[in-house]
Amino acid sequence: MNGEGSEELTNGTAQTSSRAVVAEALRQRIALGGFGPGDRLPPERELAAAFGVGRNTVRQALRELAEEGLVTTTLGRSGGTRVAPARPGGDSARVAVTAGIRAALRDYMEYRQAIEPYAARLAAERGAGAVRRELVAMLDTKVEDLGAYHRIDTRFHLGIAAAGGNEVLSEAVTRARAEMFVAGNALWLGSDWSRVYPTAGDFGLAFREEHEAIAFAVLAGDGAAAEARMRDHLRESHRQFLTVLDQFAAQE
């Protein structure tokens, strides 16, 4: 599975866009039942880390949801932001949101299938030796939790995209992943990933198992193998996202 944030955007238009993305992602998560009525949302700092934005962006997004009546915020040690009571028509909203997320996942994964396997081929065929060795070294990164998994996953995929030396392709990979995962982070935030990662919560082992075939094909300079292994990996990533989504669909 692949998930990650992006750097905080500082100009006014970009910050507004980031706020809208975070608000919509949380709106979808609430509609899916991932955050139920009365549930307390994670603290602002955790949401900011999950979405790869600043706390002010999260605060603005939560204010937008509060104005819509979806959440309420109270102060004090026992305070925080909680999901408002359920509204009529919640089941139909969940069905619609689930369908929309499935369609978006399909579109993004099809696009990534079109560009990332070829980026892996170029990394194998044109990447500098030091860069290819660095990709292999990432396999031994200590990964303590799901958030750390997504950060090293980002470094790996963007590292492969950059290694091939095609700036246009690298930019396309970066944009596709950022757009997919900033919104998609609402799915995995606080979700049960035990069905996806059966390795007893060992995210470091999960990262290695999912990426070592790609890394070693790139290191060996085998473009065909690198392309094929990346394609296999992306198919598995898509399946993992759908597995998590199915947990919400089961509540319908």
Side-chain angles (χ1 to χ4, degrees):
M1 206 285 296
N2 309 303
E4 63 275 350
S6 58
E7 294 184 2
E8 174 67 357
L9 303 172
T10 55
N11 68 73
T13 300
Q15 188 172 27
T16 299
S17 177
S18 296
R19 184 230 353 117
V21 169
V22 172
E24 179 58 21
L26 291 173
R27 195 179 289 115
Q28 290 181 348
R29 181 64 185 268
I30 292 171
L32 288 172
F35 296 130
D39 285 351
R40 180 185 296 173
L41 269 60
E44 288 180 1
R45 65 179 180 279
E46 292 184 21
L47 290 172
F51 289 107
V53 299
R55 292 180 66 173
N56 187 54
T57 298
V58 171
R59 196 171 296 118
Q60 292 175 4
L62 292 177
R63 188 176 301 121
E64 180 177 325
L65 297 184
E67 292 173 354
E68 297 173 7
L70 292 177
V71 301
T72 58
T73 300
T74 56
L75 303 178
R77 298 185 63 179
S78 60
T81 300
R82 295 180 181 273
V83 179
R87 296 179 175 182
D91 289 343
S92 60
R94 182 184 302 162
V95 171
V97 169
T98 301
I101 292 176
R102 287 186 189 278
L105 280 173
R106 179 202 62 207
D107 290 350
Y108 276 118
M109 294 308 298
E110 287 177 351
Y111 181 53
R112 292 181 62 197
Q113 285 276 2
I115 59 177
E116 290 198 52
Y118 190 66
R121 174 184 280 273
L122 292 183
E125 296 177 348
R126 304 199 309 210
V131 174
R132 288 185 281 153
R133 289 191 293 273
E134 182 179 350
L135 292 170
V136 173
M138 288 185 196
L139 299 175
D140 295 322
T141 301
K142 185 176 181 180
V143 185
E144 298 180 347
D145 53 31
L146 190 60
Y149 174 96
H150 290 296
R151 288 189 291 274
I152 189 62
D153 181 79
T154 296
R155 284 182 55 203
F156 183 86
H157 281 266
L158 298 188
I160 284 182
N166 185 314
E167 293 185 5
V168 176
L169 183 58
S170 180
E171 181 181 346
V173 172
T174 301
R175 185 173 61 250
R177 291 177 60 83
E179 291 176 359
M180 175 177 173
F181 291 114
V182 169
N185 281 354
L187 283 176
W188 62 260
L189 184 64
S191 299
D192 178 9
W193 284 88
S194 60
R195 292 173 59 192
V196 172
Y197 297 126
T199 52
D202 189 337
F203 294 106
L205 176 60
F207 174 76
R208 184 179 186 93
E209 288 179 343
E210 293 186 351
H211 298 87
E212 64 179 352
I214 304 169
F216 283 115
V218 171
L219 179 65
D222 189 338
E227 184 174 4
R229 298 293 79 77
M230 178 63 81
R231 184 169 289 108
D232 292 341
H233 172 57
L234 292 175
R235 290 193 184 110
E236 175 62 13
S237 295
H238 191 188
R239 184 198 66 78
Q240 291 174 349
F241 267 109
L242 291 178
T243 296
V244 174
L245 188 57
D246 286 343
Q247 297 179 42
F248 298 114
Q251 302 173 27
E252 297 172 6

